[in-house]
Amino acid sequence: MLVAPLVLLLVSFSPSSGAQLPNQGKVKDVPIATNGQPFPWDRMRLPKTVSPLHYDLTIHPNLTTLDFTGVARIQLDVHQDTSTIVLHAKQLQVSKVLLLAPEGVRPLHVLEYPPFHQLALLSDSVLTKGRNYEVQLEFAANLSDSFHGFYKSSYRTRSGEVRVLASTQFEATFARGAFPCFDEPAFKANFTIRMIREPRHIAISNMPKVKTVDLPGGLLEDHFDTTVKMSTYLVAYIVSDFLSVSKTTQHGVKISVYAVPEKIDQTAFALDAAVKLLDFYDDYFDIPYPLPKQDLAAIPDFQSGAMENWGLTTYRETGLLFDPEKSSASDKLGLTKVIAHELAHQWFGNLVTMEWWNDLWLNEGFAKFMEYISLDITYPELQVDDFFLGKCFEAMEVDSLSSSHPVSTDVENPTQIQEMFDDVSYDKGACILNMLRDFLTPEAFEIGIIRYLKRYSYQNTVNSHLWESLTDICNSDDLIEGGMKHKEFCSKQKRQSGSAIMDTWTLQEGFPLVTVEVRGREVRLSQERFLKTDDPSLTEGFLWQIPLTYMTSASNTIHRFLLKSKTDVLYLPEPVDWVKFNVDMSGYYMVHYAGEGWNSIIKVLQHNHTALTSNDRASLIHNIFQLVSIGKVRLDTALELSLYLSRETEIMPVTQGFGELVPLYKLMEKRDMAALENQMKGYIVDLFRGLIDRQEWTDSGSVSERVLRSYLLLFGTVRNYAPCVTKATQLFNKWKDSDGNMSLPVDVTTAAFMIGARTPEGWDFLFEKYRTSLQMSVKSRMKSAMAFSPLQDKLKWMMEQSLHGEIMKTQDLPDVVVSVSRNPRGYKLGWDFLQANWHTMIKKFDLGSSTISYMVNGVTNQYSTREMLDEVKSFFGSLTEETGSEMRCIRQTYETIEDNIRWMDTNLPLLQAWLDKRSHKALHEDLIFLSILGFGLSIMFCTTFCRACSRLREEAIEREAWRRSEQDGHAPSIYFIPFPGSRSRRDSDDHLRAPRYSQEFQSPPRYSMAGYCGPPPSYNELGLKPDDLPPSYTEYNTPVCPITPPPHTDMVQPQAESQQ
Ligand SMILES: [Zn+2]
């Protein structure tokens, strides 16, 4: 499944369900059933004495009373004689349980053990191995009020009518809440489904409808064809009033897209994409899609991003609906990726399924990886390769904490299973597959995975099955000689080598840091675990087999070397100026260039950055800032490297630059240090000013150019960069004047909405448009803008409404809470809200779900003080196991805050000094320029008063202030060049003065500098006498700020696209 905008699955655990059972999945004492009798099975995993072969399911949902009844008849394969059948059922009222044996029909005695969601069906005679048996169970339950199981969804039509539908979400452990079943992925069976409905509705399921039968009372019963053999978590059915559009693929598969009637005109893009992608996979995997149809349905209430049910994939409306007029470039990219992901699952996951959830990455890592492979070929114009790197950076973020886990991890209970749907399974899974593909060559890799899919079709697999299929290619005749770069993989100890390499990546958590030191022709290599901790003992005992790649200043050729030991040495043919390891960052590891290494890299970037690819540049930015956080590199070195970004134009290095620099001031925003915070913001604006200035406010260009533009202009607007604010304000006002009817350039609408949401009138107007809009992508941009408003009462109201679910959907609550928490005016509200509503939210979204994890991390991960750490620990420490105390995300957030504290303690003084030095340097550069200018101007104009002269005089004052400050060893407390248009220069002893200035920032500004807006310094503050002030000083002592007070709105990170 896809954890789209945020997360994925939901596991529900009400305390009474005993979900939080011991990790070993086994009760210590004899389990007692609900009727007080001993329950005959004491493990969470089902016994293997019987397995299901076929299910006949009849389901009758009532969309008026919001409940359902059903009958399940399950044909069994008895593997060993037994009189007990143990299977799953959760919160179902089970009645009338019969055994249909060769000797006749008889009732079975039923025991329930809710903590494990199990039923035991007891027979008074033995079921004999090899004979045919069936059990039949009748059951009833309410439609679920959450987002999983067989659940209720609703939507409001344009006329205000509320309509109800019922849909399913069974991954990972929720089929048991909809019908009694053997709810583990290895219990594959065929399903024949019948749905009872009213004539005003339609029903769809995994397979095509065979016929419809009239029932007494005016009801209809739809009979669906029997499925292929598959796991329970892939079963799906929907009863709704949806409409659909259809097309047929070249391979003869009927594709239909379903949506609520008023949005059916937004389905054309998804329909075409699904046709194209299913045809692609049919050819690429060389295995025909085995079903006659594939439906894609947009569900109005959906917790994760999408779900790969076989033949009936389900999506959030934002993941499937596309309006060419109103959707942005990144919407198009996101939607295509989601569809590519779910369709890839039809092979990886549905056809070949992991044996157990510990190897979820075999499903999700592959599906994530295939998004990029398929789009690269089917939609080259989307330039999806530009974004893959970001997945690996995201994975490394959680994988660099000691709370991380191996890709393949033992899990037993549903909460632990839910926790597997995280960045490690999806993104790290995809990144190590990418590394393997690069190592083996794309051709060899493709042959290997096709063999894997063919060999294990309709079966279940573990890691080693994949490695064996890939190792077998070593003997393949299919493989062209030129593709044999993988001699290590195939060499002598053939059978083991592929597995030996890959086990180091899947069975141990974390990833390696490779340190490279070049001495002449010698390159010394060493590896260690990259871990953000102050406990070095935690990095011991890790060793990876790392497929290294590198290039040098002397050669563009990619060289390869498999580093298997802790240290090793390479010899270059000649001395070089620089080396770059992990070419294009196709390997899942970081690199530290020891000795003069980083300085050489910085020189290349400064003088000729295009000597390295954009992926290489992005990875250098990422690696060096990450190395600062573990103390391997000084912050000033990383900042020196960042300077080259003023000449950067490619999306990955630019967004990575933002990705490393913006979090620095985000931490400061949650502390009282406005002066340094503003200095840092000013630096970033300065760095990208040229690139921002070159952006047009249109929708022209390639997808990457459009996504980059959208990002830059939003940043400029949020950071109050005057040209952006002016333009965004104009656009918003025009749009508002047209009552929202005017078409804004799609890619810059968020910037315009952001400006609008700063005032109560603008916010209310936006909300009204949000409420009535049918365009999901537009609504989503409005929601983001409203959540970044500085208006605290609005922020609070939004969170409350989202929780309530009437006006704003509860599925969007996590996004709203996290956005508010990143808003400098809202972060305290977000934290208060999370604490106050914790119990409601874990019930709705479920413990262990990526939704809960997303909120926990999103709300707290920008704290950097011991006080906040104590507060966070005090709240989470008060939880019990039933309310989430054991969740991994809590350990992650403690570690993250501790890491932030260490970072701030170590680096704040360095940051201050570097920014000071830089502004000082910029000042001297200006003085040289101004002196030259000044001499000329003096000669030409000095007899009359002119601005140039006054500038010179002001510069002279500034110089004097610096001279005096250096004399007394104290930097000027605050310092401005008092005329507009000059470069932003300001220094302050932040720690002492920040509180006062931060108060002053709240008052209407009277003074403006490029990139900075605040009160002017008095001459006392300048350390000058009134006579020293230039004549122009008072002239500028009036408001010139482009807009009212710095709204402190926050920077939006590029929408983290969904994982599934
Ligand atoms: Zn998935």
Side-chain angles (χ1 to χ4, degrees):
M1 116 175 119
L2 198 65
V3 197
L6 6 155
V7 178
L8 187 36
L9 273 209
L10 16 147
V11 168
S12 88
F13 265 127
S14 62
S16 64
S17 74
Q20 296 294 312
L21 273 171
N23 294 349
Q24 67 272 29
K26 185 174 185 307
V27 284
K28 288 189 184 100
D29 305 316
V30 176
I32 302 299
T34 48
N35 66 355
Q37 289 182 15
F39 192 80
W41 184 248
D42 64 356
R43 289 167 184 268
M44 203 166 270
R45 298 283 298 273
L46 298 178
K48 297 193 168 24
T49 44
V50 297
S51 59
L53 291 169
H54 182 267
Y55 292 75
D56 267 307
L57 283 181
T58 304
I59 310 284
H60 176 201
N62 184 326
L63 299 191
T64 309
T65 55
L66 303 179
D67 50 21
F68 64 95
T69 57
V71 180
R73 190 159 148 173
I74 311 170
Q75 190 187 332
L76 299 174
D77 191 2
V78 178
H79 304 289
Q80 85 192 48
D81 293 358
T82 181
S83 57
T84 307
I85 300 158
V86 181
L87 74 169
H88 287 113
K90 185 183 170 192
Q91 290 166 0
L92 294 176
Q93 290 172 290
V94 175
S95 56
K96 273 207 203 163
V97 182
L98 302 173
L99 178 72
L100 290 69
E103 55 273 22
V105 177
R106 56 179 187 271
L108 291 171
H109 183 52
V110 182
L111 296 178
E112 290 181 57
Y113 187 59
F116 285 179
H117 312 148
Q118 286 171 356
L119 297 180
L121 313 182
L122 310 180
S123 164
D124 47 19
S125 61
V126 171
L127 284 67
T128 318
K129 181 180 173 182
R131 299 185 70 190
N132 284 332
Y133 297 90
E134 286 183 315
V135 288
Q136 179 173 304
L137 307 94
E138 293 183 19
F139 54 92
N142 291 328
L143 286 173
S144 168
D145 197 28
S146 63
F147 299 93
H148 56 261
F150 192 22
Y151 72 97
K152 180 199 96 163
S153 171
S154 65
Y155 71 95
R156 199 180 288 268
T157 65
R158 226 182 237 122
S159 64
E161 182 197 350
V162 175
R163 294 191 184 170
V164 176
L165 60 131
S167 182
T168 55
Q169 166 63 50
F170 290 163
E171 192 178 23
T173 56
F174 304 116
R176 63 190 67 172
F179 60 92
C181 57
F182 296 80
D183 199 12
E184 293 182 6
F187 285 114
K188 289 191 172 184
N190 304 96
F191 295 81
T192 307
I193 296 171
R194 295 177 185 188
M195 296 297 294
I196 299 173
R197 63 178 169 90
E198 293 176 56
R200 64 187 170 128
H201 292 132
I202 58 155
I204 47 177
S205 183
N206 303 83
M207 294 297 285
K209 189 166 72 178
V210 184
K211 63 175 176 182
T212 300
V213 176
D214 288 317
L215 298 183
L219 294 174
L220 301 173
E221 185 177 81
D222 290 328
H223 294 206
F224 296 94
D225 212 346
T226 302
T227 69
V228 292
K229 205 175 150 197
M230 65 184 204
S231 307
T232 45
Y233 78 89
L234 294 170
V235 173
Y237 37 83
I238 301 170
V239 174
S240 70
D241 68 341
F242 287 173
L243 297 181
S244 66
V245 293
S246 304
K247 275 189 182 175
T248 303
T249 69
Q250 286 173 11
H251 294 79
V253 179
K254 185 181 177 191
I255 308 278
S256 306
V257 180
Y258 287 82
V260 302
E262 285 174 348
K263 295 175 184 168
I264 195 66
D265 57 347
Q266 298 176 47
T267 51
F269 181 82
L271 181 62
D272 288 339
V275 167
K276 206 167 173 177
L277 285 160
L278 202 74
D279 272 332
F280 167 81
Y281 288 132
D282 249 323
D283 294 334
Y284 184 88
F285 294 134
D286 193 29
I287 302 173
Y289 173 73
L291 310 186
K293 64 98 174 171
Q294 166 68 235
D295 296 333
L296 300 87
I299 313 294
D301 297 276
F302 205 84
Q303 183 168 340
S304 65
M307 176 64 208
E308 68 264 25
N309 316 300
W310 214 343
L312 171 52
T313 49
T314 47
Y315 301 78
R316 267 193 183 221
E317 288 189 328
T318 44
L320 201 61
L321 303 180
F322 185 85
D323 178 343
E325 298 294 307
K326 303 267 172 76
S327 301
S328 70
S330 53
D331 292 334
K332 190 175 192 169
L333 180 66
L335 191 139
T336 317
K337 282 174 65 187
V338 174
I339 297 172
H341 181 103
E342 302 313 329
L343 296 186
H345 270 313
Q346 309 297 302
W347 284 262
F348 279 105
N350 300 7
L351 184 64
V352 179
T353 314
M354 75 268 140
E355 174 78 24
W356 180 241
W357 301 105
N358 64 320
D359 279 331
L360 178 68
W361 85 279
L362 288 173
N363 275 15
E364 298 301 351
F366 260 110
K368 174 60 67 182
F369 179 65
M370 289 309 300
E371 291 173 25
Y372 293 86
I373 300 291
S374 61
L375 261 60
D376 193 33
I377 296 168
T378 53
Y379 286 89
E381 69 276 17
L382 293 179
Q383 295 167 293
V384 70
D385 271 355
D386 285 355
F387 303 92
F388 185 77
L389 204 51
K391 294 283 100 189
C392 306
F393 295 153
E394 280 171 30
M396 284 174 161
E397 194 171 332
V398 290
D399 210 15
S400 60
L401 301 176
S402 64
S403 51
S404 189
H405 63 90
V407 166
S408 187
T409 299
D410 284 343
V411 289
E412 199 76 45
N413 70 41
T415 301
Q416 294 167 337
I417 292 170
Q418 282 316 115
E419 288 187 322
M420 288 301 283
F421 291 81
D422 69 355
D423 285 348
V424 172
S425 295
Y426 285 79
D427 297 343
K428 181 176 178 179
C431 293
I432 61 175
L433 288 171
N434 186 50
M435 177 168 69
L436 183 60
R437 178 174 182 255
D438 183 62
F439 182 60
L440 295 178
T441 74
E443 302 77 29
F445 182 82
E446 187 181 339
I447 293 165
I449 61 171
I450 291 169
R451 287 190 176 194
Y452 166 78
L453 287 173
K454 286 186 172 169
R455 186 176 299 170
Y456 298 103
S457 289
Y458 304 106
Q459 298 177 56
N460 296 79
T461 55
V462 296
N463 272 348
S464 57
H465 294 135
L466 176 63
W467 308 143
E468 280 161 20
S469 300
L470 285 165
T471 308
D472 280 355
I473 58 169
C474 301
N475 305 320
S476 172
D477 297 332
D478 304 342
L479 204 58
I480 49 162
E481 188 59 27
M484 297 292 284
K485 285 179 192 167
H486 42 80
K487 62 180 193 318
E488 299 275 3
F489 198 80
C490 295
S491 71
K492 295 309 167 203
Q493 305 80 21
K494 282 177 187 169
R495 290 282 157 192
Q496 278 78 37
S497 54
S499 173
I501 294 172
M502 293 314 293
D503 282 352
T504 68
W505 297 93
T506 56
L507 302 184
Q508 61 186 351
E509 73 262 33
F511 58 90
L513 167 65
V514 175
T515 299
V516 175
E517 187 166 8
V518 181
R519 293 187 186 174
R521 289 179 47 232
E522 191 179 293
V523 182
R524 297 182 181 189
L525 302 168
S526 63
Q527 62 159 301
E528 65 193 291
R529 180 177 178 193
F530 182 96
L531 189 66
K532 290 180 180 174
T533 174
D534 46 6
D535 181 357
S537 70
L538 294 174
T539 63
E540 285 165 14
F542 287 82
L543 187 69
W544 283 264
Q545 297 206 16
I546 312 170
L548 293 179
T549 52
Y550 63 97
M551 54 186 277
T552 71
S553 55
S555 154
N556 273 336
T557 312
I558 300 176
H559 304 275
R560 292 170 189 273
F561 179 75
L562 187 69
L563 179 64
K564 292 178 175 174
S565 51
K566 205 86 184 157
T567 59
D568 213 327
V569 180
L570 278 176
Y571 293 94
L572 301 172
E574 59 199 312
V576 295
D577 295 334
W578 52 265
V579 292
K580 166 72 174 68
F581 273 74
N582 202 356
V583 179
D584 275 339
M585 203 168 164
S586 36
Y588 186 71
Y589 57 93
M590 282 198 212
V591 183
H592 172 42
Y593 300 92
E596 277 304 295
W598 278 112
N599 289 336
S600 312
I601 299 261
I602 291 169
K603 264 184 220 150
V604 187
L605 289 174
Q606 276 170 351
H607 297 112
N608 181 24
H609 67 276
T610 52
L612 296 157
T613 65
S614 62
N615 269 7
D616 276 333
R617 300 189 310 261
S619 73
L620 288 166
I621 296 164
H622 173 265
N623 287 188
I624 197 168
F625 276 94
Q626 294 303 310
L627 288 166
V628 170
S629 63
I630 60 164
K632 292 272 181 190
V633 173
R634 275 173 59 98
L635 177 65
D636 20 15
T637 309
L639 290 167
E640 288 298 322
L641 182 142
S642 76
L643 286 167
Y644 103 91
L645 282 166
S646 63
R647 289 189 307 284
E648 185 57 84
T649 57
E650 298 288 329
I651 184 163
M652 271 317 291
V654 169
T655 53
Q656 199 52 40
F658 278 114
E660 300 298 338
L661 295 169
V662 168
L664 307 192
Y665 75 67
K666 296 305 300 176
L667 296 182
M668 296 178 213
E669 281 178 346
K670 273 111 207 151
R671 295 170 63 152
D672 205 0
M673 41 176 41
L676 181 59
E677 172 193 323
N678 285 310
Q679 214 174 341
M680 185 64 199
K681 288 173 177 174
Y683 170 62
I684 305 175
V685 172
D686 267 356
L687 203 52
F688 295 105
R689 184 191 308 270
L691 194 55
I692 294 173
D693 287 346
R694 289 199 296 279
Q695 303 301 314
E696 293 168 19
W697 291 67
T698 67
D699 287 338
S700 62
S702 69
V703 169
S704 287
E705 284 164 354
R706 292 179 60 185
V707 173
L708 180 63
R709 165 194 304 133
S710 178
Y711 189 89
L712 286 166
L713 295 182
L714 182 59
F715 174 80
T717 306
V718 166
R719 288 276 55 87
N720 297 317
Y721 178 50
C724 292
V725 171
T726 308
K727 189 72 192 173
T729 307
Q730 279 169 3
L731 282 177
F732 181 78
N733 290 341
K734 267 194 203 165
W735 178 74
K736 185 161 173 279
D737 291 345
S738 75
D739 194 28
N741 293 318
M742 178 195 135
S743 276
L744 292 170
V746 176
D747 296 330
V748 301
T749 44
T750 314
F753 291 163
M754 217 48 116
I755 285 288
R758 287 175 177 183
T759 66
E761 308 72 49
W763 198 97
D764 289 345
F765 181 78
L766 264 180
F767 182 76
E768 186 49 30
K769 292 297 158 198
Y770 168 86
R771 208 177 54 76
T772 52
S773 171
L774 290 175
Q775 264 79 34
M776 301 314 294
S777 56
V778 178
K779 280 178 87 115
S780 156
R781 287 195 284 279
M782 289 171 171
K783 178 172 54 99
S784 301
M786 291 187 294
F788 282 99
S789 168
L791 307 167
Q792 295 185 331
D793 53 334
K794 305 283 190 192
L795 301 178
K796 215 167 154 218
W797 186 85
M798 269 181 96
M799 291 192 289
E800 284 159 2
Q801 290 306 318
S802 304
L803 183 65
H804 195 235
E806 286 284 312
I807 310 179
M808 303 189 75
K809 287 264 180 197
T810 305
Q811 65 170 9
D812 296 331
L813 175 68
D815 268 345
V816 172
V817 172
V818 170
S819 297
V820 168
S821 301
R822 290 178 180 163
N823 180 336
R825 295 291 179 88
Y827 68 95
K828 286 180 179 146
L829 301 175
W831 171 231
D832 289 346
F833 184 89
L834 183 82
Q835 295 174 86
N837 297 287
W838 179 257
H839 296 280
T840 313
M841 293 199 292
I842 55 174
K843 233 178 247 168
K844 197 84 189 171
F845 298 111
D846 299 309
L847 289 183
S849 70
S850 51
T851 307
I852 292 292
S853 160
Y854 170 72
M855 281 196 281
V856 167
N857 282 305
V859 170
T860 60
N861 68 7
Q862 292 179 346
Y863 293 145
S864 62
T865 62
R866 285 172 184 81
E867 293 71 31
M868 277 317 297
L869 178 62
D870 290 344
E871 198 174 320
V872 168
K873 280 189 167 174
S874 152
F875 173 70
F876 289 120
S878 72
L879 301 179
T880 62
E881 201 171 333
E882 285 73 28
T883 55
S885 62
E886 299 298 303
M887 286 191 297
R888 182 182 290 122
C889 61
I890 295 176
R891 301 201 302 279
Q892 280 170 343
T893 208
Y894 292 170
E895 270 196 81
T896 303
I897 300 174
E898 281 161 5
D899 178 46
N900 291 343
I901 294 173
R902 272 198 304 277
W903 195 98
M904 293 294 253
D905 286 351
T906 313
N907 292 309
L908 272 188
L910 286 170
L911 179 64
Q912 178 74 68
W914 188 83
L915 289 170
D916 287 352
K917 193 176 117 199
R918 188 181 164 275
S919 30
H920 207 152
K921 197 172 156 202
L923 167 67
H924 284 299
E925 281 164 3
D926 270 13
L927 286 178
I928 292 166
F929 168 75
L930 285 167
S931 302
I932 296 165
L933 176 72
F935 281 126
L937 290 178
S938 305
I939 293 161
M940 293 163 65
F941 302 116
C942 261
T943 51
T944 55
F945 173 76
C946 68
R947 175 154 298 180
C949 293
S950 83
R951 286 192 184 199
L952 284 173
R953 189 160 173 203
E954 289 158 2
E955 295 290 354
I957 293 164
E958 187 174 39
R959 185 166 35 194
E960 174 61 14
W962 273 104
R963 193 189 61 74
R964 293 184 199 178
S965 74
E966 278 161 13
Q967 254 175 11
D968 63 21
H970 196 264
S973 60
I974 185 159
Y975 203 76
F976 301 92
I977 303 296
F979 53 84
S982 76
R983 293 174 58 177
S984 169
R985 259 163 275 151
R986 189 171 61 88
D987 290 274
S988 65
D989 51 346
D990 231 279
H991 303 295
L992 298 174
R993 311 193 64 98
R996 185 162 63 82
Y997 281 107
S998 69
Q999 276 172 11
E1000 285 175 4
F1001 290 154
Q1002 312 297 326
S1003 63
R1006 293 166 293 154
Y1007 191 78
S1008 166
M1009 298 295 304
Y1012 174 74
C1013 192
S1018 68
Y1019 54 80
N1020 280 334
E1021 286 170 318
L1022 294 173
L1024 302 172
K1025 295 199 262 321
D1027 287 352
D1028 290 340
L1029 284 174
S1032 59
Y1033 187 77
T1034 46
E1035 185 187 332
Y1036 298 107
N1037 193 11
T1038 49
V1040 288
C1041 282
I1043 50 140
T1044 45
H1048 286 209
T1049 312
D1050 199 352
M1051 175 60 196
V1052 185
Q1053 297 287 355
Q1055 187 77 19
E1057 16 107 43
S1058 24
Q1059 341 166 339
Q1060 310 50 76

